Amino acid sequence: MIKSYAEQFYYLMKLGREFEIRAKEEYMKGNIGGFLHLAIGEEAVHVGATVGFGKGDIFVHYRDHIYALARGIPAKEVMAELFGKVTGVSKGKGGSMHLYHPKYNFYGGIAIVGAQIPHAVGAAYARKLLGHTEGVLVAFGDGATNAGNFYESLNLAAVYKVPVIFLCENNYYAIGTRIDRVSAFSDLYLKAKDYMPAISVDGMDVFEVFNAVSKAKEYVETESKPYFIEAKTYRYEPHSMSDGGDYRSPRELKIAKERDPIERLKEKGLEKGVLTPEFIKTIDEKVEKEIEEAVEFALNSPEPSEDELYKDIYCEVCEDVVS
Ligand SMILES: Cc1ncc(C[n+]2csc(CCOP(=O)(O)OP(=O)(O)O)c2C)c(N)n1
């Protein structure tokens, strides 16, 4: 366990968790509208993968806040987006599910289940045709692996030798549907193994995810071929703020929480002497301050003006259409 990584992972996972706890509170207060999907419990996947991937294009799903934070997008810009404010990453027009920041090579937040998979393959293939070697990372849930475009993407990526890392976050549920009710396999890497190298890792262990993604990155960029990683994880919260989450037993939740990724890193880090109680205290305070400032920033930012309504959309004649 390398000290600098343990410290970075602790900070980013703690930032992600506290950000989401606060987002939930702000949603309940009515400061955040629309949809809100939390990834509390899944921090090791989002942080380990983003840091392990390093530079390059990332495409993710609607459960996107922690990916954006781990990418280095400032918490205040992410929070402002959730609040629908003009200072948000998508100018307040995307909301929680549509975080987007090309400067950080961050291409979604995409709300259509699985749609980011062909987008990522297309982006990686375009790069390859232009003579670049950088790989692309795409993250998606277990539910997305039952969609047709998932298989089409695996196939195209294998046939055209596209340098893309497919990262499947298997949290066992697609809203309230447990994976074994809708999928022939519950070990989801099996769905990809005939197309490309495919592995399964413990998604509650940030170092395991980090190592797997780092290795995959090297593979896709040196071989110019795709790679598949299944990370087994768990979301503690219901699917979204509009889901009661009563399809999981308290016992199941309790067992999952016993493998909490942040607590595990803390325990192991302290035991190995790469984290110290002082460091943890300093980071906890830093995170608290950062979140407080993010909320203040979001609250004090203006909403987008009316003339923003028809900007940043595909239809160039919309103004005529609506007038
Ligand atoms: C094409 C499509 N079908 C249905 C939905 C509604 N929907 C939103 S999230 C979701 C479940 C997806 O589950 P999973 O891929 O496992 O991701 P998780 O939410 O667990 O992270 C569904 C069915 C959608 N957004 N897009």
Side-chain angles (χ1 to χ4, degrees):
M1 188 182 273
I2 298 168
K3 183 177 168 63
S4 58
Y5 280 122
E7 290 183 346
Q8 186 184 9
F9 295 156
Y10 182 76
Y11 164 63
L12 290 174
M13 290 204 290
K14 187 76 184 168
L15 180 68
R17 179 157 304 179
E18 295 302 323
F19 181 96
E20 297 228 307
I21 290 173
R22 187 61 183 267
K24 184 178 175 183
E25 285 169 20
E26 296 301 321
Y27 188 93
M28 310 281 248
K29 283 191 218 161
N31 287 330
I32 296 173
F35 281 96
L36 184 71
H37 301 81
L38 303 173
I40 298 174
E42 301 185 1
E43 295 89 350
V45 181
H46 296 205
V47 168
T50 308
V51 178
F53 183 66
K55 276 167 105 181
D57 294 343
I58 295 187
F59 291 72
V60 302
H61 42 67
Y62 42 83
R63 214 176 286 289
D64 53 356
H65 317 146
I66 304 178
Y67 278 111
L69 296 171
R71 217 340 117 92
I73 301 176
K76 60 182 191 172
E77 289 184 41
V78 181
M79 192 64 89
E81 189 57 42
L82 271 52
F83 276 58
K85 299 298 182 74
V86 74
T87 50
V89 288
S90 308
K91 302 184 196 169
K93 296 191 278 186
S96 156
M97 295 201 288
H98 304 103
L99 303 178
Y100 176 79
H101 212 320
K103 204 178 104 195
Y104 288 85
N105 298 76
F106 193 82
Y107 297 101
I110 291 170
I112 306 301
V113 171
Q116 71 276 24
I117 308 174
H119 293 177
V121 172
Y125 190 47
R127 282 278 170 85
K128 180 170 172 148
L129 293 177
L130 290 169
H132 300 284
T133 53
E134 301 112 85
V136 168
L137 175 76
V138 58
F140 48 88
D142 42 272
T145 70
N146 297 319
N149 62 4
F150 166 74
Y151 294 97
E152 290 171 36
S153 301
L154 292 183
N155 190 55
L156 278 181
V159 171
Y160 292 141
K161 299 188 171 47
V162 181
V164 60
I165 302 172
F166 295 92
L167 175 67
C168 173
E169 293 171 22
N170 184 1
N171 64 15
Y172 304 97
Y173 289 88
I175 311 187
T177 305
R178 205 183 147 86
I179 187 72
D180 46 23
R181 287 182 52 210
V182 285
S183 172
F185 307 94
S186 43
D187 285 324
L188 299 179
Y189 75 98
L190 296 175
K191 292 186 174 182
K193 77 170 187 20
D194 289 338
Y195 298 88
M196 62 192 69
I199 60 165
S200 184
V201 298
D202 179 356
M204 302 304 262
D205 182 329
V206 66
F207 271 99
E208 202 170 316
V209 178
F210 168 79
N211 287 331
V213 174
S214 307
K215 258 207 236 155
K217 175 106 187 261
E218 202 182 319
Y219 174 87
V220 302
E221 293 188 347
T222 52
E223 302 287 326
S224 190
K225 283 183 185 167
Y227 195 99
F228 188 97
I229 301 170
E230 171 194 13
K232 288 193 165 140
T233 183
Y234 204 82
R235 70 169 153 74
Y236 296 172
E237 293 291 316
H239 171 73
S240 74
M241 293 301 289
S242 51
D243 166 29
D246 54 1
Y247 41 82
R248 304 179 304 182
S249 70
R251 184 166 175 271
E252 183 178 316
L253 262 164
K254 185 173 169 281
I255 292 169
K257 286 181 181 176
E258 280 163 10
R259 299 172 56 236
D260 185 77
I262 301 179
E263 288 308 311
R264 271 172 87 178
L265 174 68
K266 201 154 69 171
E267 266 168 41
K268 267 200 211 162
L270 287 169
E271 191 186 297
K272 293 191 186 302
V274 294
L275 295 177
T276 63
E278 297 72 38
F279 174 82
I280 286 168
K281 187 168 176 282
T282 307
I283 293 299
D284 290 355
E285 286 167 6
K286 177 179 149 88
V287 164
E288 199 182 320
K289 191 162 170 274
E290 214 172 323
I291 301 300
E292 208 49 57
E293 284 170 3
V295 171
E296 276 302 299
F297 176 79
L299 277 172
N300 294 324
S301 294
E303 289 187 351
S305 59
E306 241 175 62
D307 62 318
E308 278 290 317
L309 204 54
Y310 298 103
K311 288 185 189 156
D312 306 318
I313 52 177
Y314 284 120
C315 178
E316 284 173 11
V317 293
C318 276
E319 274 184 57
D320 299 342
V321 173
V322 293
S323 60

